[in-house]
Amino acid sequence: MTAPALVREAVLLAGRQLTGWRRQPVVPIQSMLFPTLLLLTYDLVVARSMARLTGTDALEVVVPTCAVAGAVFGAMSGGFTLPLERDMGLISRLWTFPVHRASALTGIVLAEAVRTLIATAVITAVGVALGLRFPGPAAVVAFLLVPVLVIAVFAPIMVAVALRGDGGGAMFLWLGTATTGLVFANAGLAPVQRLPHWLRPVIEYQPMSAVVATMRALSLGEPVLGPLLLSVGWAVLIGAIGVPVAVRAYRVVAES
């Protein structure tokens, strides 16, 4: 199979995945509705007090946090459909079709990227309505693409967990708890200066802190190279671990 064939088949399978999500409201609820309500709640309850205390409503941090949270929560919700497809034999049947062996996994990641891009656009639009501003169109485009980078490396891990023999129930719980903690314990939200000295570098340099710092710099027009390089470095490291594990898990299920 050639690369163009892989692209065509991955797009087709991604479309199938997106169509299935439209029939499952839990995915759009987790990826768009929940983080949007979280953002609106922050604006109604916390933003004014935050502005009086610090001089800023911190939308440049809260909007990226909600966008990344929506991307992760949506991927977790979408992952619950994979054990059903495995048990129904759909994955094994697809493995026997004359398609590129990488098209199914690539299609899942592509569908997650499209869902994340749409959800991030919705959340960002709400943030702009609340007062978030950007220095230019290029910053907006880059801002929308950063969560896509996150989900590109998180989706393979989600696939590997979902295709476990038990459906990944316990591991989903641990993965969701750990990821949620990282998202909301980013250096933009966490009071780093009030943390113990040994914990500060952990919070400052954890993956989600780098991602949120990159999006914050893009919205404020500040230098972005440092946090962007750190974000890409984390993505490469996590991808190098997660992708081979996902490929092996998918192959084992498909051949069983």
Side-chain angles (χ1 to χ4, degrees), residues 8-24:
R8 290 195 304 269
E9 292 157 5
V11 170
L12 180 63
L13 292 172
R16 168 188 169 274
Q17 193 85 358
L18 292 168
T19 300
W21 287 340
R22 289 207 305 268
R23 299 167 184 167
Q24 297 170 343

Side-chain angles (χ1 to χ4, degrees), residues 8 10 24 30 32 34 54-55 62 65 78 97 105 110 123 149 151 153 163-164 169 171 179 188 249 254:
R8 290 195 304 269
Q24 297 170 343
Q30 291 284 6
M32 282 186 281
F34 173 71
T54 65
V62 178
T65 301
F97 289 172
L105 275 176
L110 181 59
I123 296 167
L149 174 66
I151 216 62
V153 296
L163 293 180
R164 285 172 53 89
M171 288 196 67
T179 306

Side-chain angles (χ1 to χ4, degrees), residues 55-72:
T56 176
D57 55 12
L59 277 176
E60 68 279 0
V61 174
V62 178
V63 173
T65 301
C66 291
V68 175
V72 171

Side-chain angles (χ1 to χ4, degrees), residues 168-186:
M171 288 196 67
F172 257 125
L173 177 61
W174 286 106
L175 180 62
T177 301
T179 306
T180 302
L182 289 176
V183 170
F184 290 101
N186 68 77

Side-chain angles (χ1 to χ4, degrees), residues 146 149 205-207 209-211 213-215 217-218 223-237:
V146 172
L149 174 66
Y205 296 106
Q206 57 108 335
S209 290
V211 170
T214 300
M215 298 176 73
L218 287 169
V224 73
L225 183 60
L228 178 59
L229 289 177
L230 184 58
S231 300
V232 172
W234 273 115
V236 171
L237 176 62

Side-chain angles (χ1 to χ4, degrees), residues 56-130:
T56 176
D57 55 12
L59 277 176
E60 68 279 0
V61 174
V62 178
V63 173
T65 301
C66 291
V68 175
V72 171
F73 294 158
M76 295 288 291
S77 300
F80 284 110
T81 64
L82 291 176
L84 179 62
E85 294 186 358
R86 177 200 61 195
D87 296 339
M88 293 176 62
L90 294 177
I91 294 177
S92 296
R93 274 181 279 175
L94 183 61
W95 191 256
T96 64
F97 289 172
V99 297
H100 198 290
R101 290 293 174 84
S103 60
L105 275 176
T106 306
I108 292 174
V109 175
L110 181 59
E112 291 287 354
V114 172
R115 176 194 56 76
T116 299
L117 183 61
I118 295 172
T120 303
V122 172
I123 296 167
T124 303
V126 175
V128 170
L130 296 177

